[in-house]
Amino acid sequence: MRVVAANGDIRTLAGNGKDGKADGVGAAASFNQPIAVAVDRSGNVYVADRDNHTVRLIDPSGKVTVVAGTGAAGFAEGPATSAQFNQPYGVALSSDEKILYVADYLNHAIRALDLGTKQVTTVAGNGKAGFANGKGDQAQFNQPYNVKTAANGRLYVPDQNNHAIRRIDQDGTVSTVAGNGQSGFANGRASDARFNNPTGLIVAADGSVYVADRNNQRLRVISPAGEATTIAGDGTEGFQDGAGPAAKFNRPIDIVLMPDGSLVVSEENNHRLRKVLLR
């Protein structure tokens, strides 16, 4: 796990560059394909440790422990110590930091860990791949790659193999924000928009949803009115800085919104963090 400071300095927080599942402090700890993090206001870092099928915690002292999961792939609710995941891909904290949401990729579900009671439940999805709106286990996803929270408490999910952006209301009702289950590239109204393996997103204060449209090699935005447009990228793989379509990406995989209003994009195949100025 690495940290990039505001001045650009990079340091290693935990892990030693080798696959493993050891708890410990700093380099004594090991992970197996850690793929996403969520950080609380106290500096605790929650890690989706994908191939260990666990959620890990790095406390402010650098100590790493397992928060939930047994280390074996499965689909089980209950106490955090016996709950099971199958490749957790994304983690996100509720605004009050009492709940940690988990995108459970190969269980095709969004899970919730109550950080107070240490109980794991399923918010939406039923363990089977599909594409269905509905409430709770009536809804279906197909490899949800990540999960992010909005200020209003809703959850947003880049539903990778459904090529769609999904939303989960506080009562567990799942709806589709944009995309229809078919891969492609198209801007326009939500029902007409097409994505190709979206893997990351972030929700702005005004309700705009910024999307890392991975296999389209583009950054997209869905307006509060439901209109999808392209911010940057021309659809071809490459590495090129520049304005809008002059820029090139190679599998943009996740996206965050910075306090200054810019976006930072993690790029899988260019092995870079890129900054996008929106103003």
Side-chain angles (χ1 to χ4, degrees), residues 83 166 260 273:
R166 315 289 293 280
D260 65 1
L273 298 178

Side-chain angles (χ1 to χ4, degrees), residues 231-234 240-249 274 276-277:
I231 298 171
D234 66 355
Q240 179 66 51
D241 290 337
K248 291 183 184 294
F249 300 93
R274 313 276 295 278
V276 181
L277 302 177

Side-chain angles (χ1 to χ4, degrees), residues 110-184:
I110 303 302
R111 318 286 295 280
L113 167 63
D114 187 311
L115 295 172
T117 65
K118 307 299 183 186
Q119 294 285 316
V120 174
T121 56
T122 301
V123 178
N126 55 26
K128 298 179 180 178
F131 188 27
N133 291 324
K135 190 172 183 178
D137 63 4
Q138 300 302 306
Q140 289 185 312
F141 303 89
N142 194 342
Q143 298 184 351
Y145 204 96
N146 213 325
V147 59
K148 298 288 177 70
T149 52
N152 58 14
R154 287 171 165 169
L155 305 178
Y156 286 79
V157 178
D159 194 359
Q160 182 189 7
N161 281 356
N162 279 327
H163 312 289
I165 306 304
R166 315 289 293 280
R167 185 181 71 208
I168 307 174
D169 291 341
Q170 289 179 301
D171 67 354
T173 299
V174 177
S175 57
T176 301
V177 177
N180 71 347
Q182 301 296 318
S183 66

Side-chain angles (χ1 to χ4, degrees), residues 12 87 132 154 158 167 205 217 266 271:
T12 299
Q87 293 198 345
R154 287 171 165 169
R167 185 181 71 208
Q217 320 296 343
S266 54
H271 311 288

Side-chain angles (χ1 to χ4, degrees), residues 46 67-68 78-80 83 85 92-94 96-102 111-123:
Y46 295 91
V67 177
F85 305 91
L93 285 160
S94 60
D96 61 8
E97 299 188 343
K98 293 181 178 180
I99 305 293
L100 184 74
Y101 297 101
V102 181
R111 318 286 295 280
L113 167 63
D114 187 311
L115 295 172
T117 65
K118 307 299 183 186
Q119 294 285 316
V120 174
T121 56
T122 301
V123 178

Side-chain angles (χ1 to χ4, degrees), residues 1 36-41 43-48 56-58 90-94 97 99-101 147-148:
M1 308 309 302
V37 299
V39 185
D40 72 13
R41 288 183 285 273
N44 294 297
V45 181
Y46 295 91
V47 182
R56 313 281 293 278
L57 169 67
I58 309 171
V91 284
L93 285 160
S94 60
E97 299 188 343
I99 305 293
L100 184 74
Y101 297 101
V147 59
K148 298 288 177 70

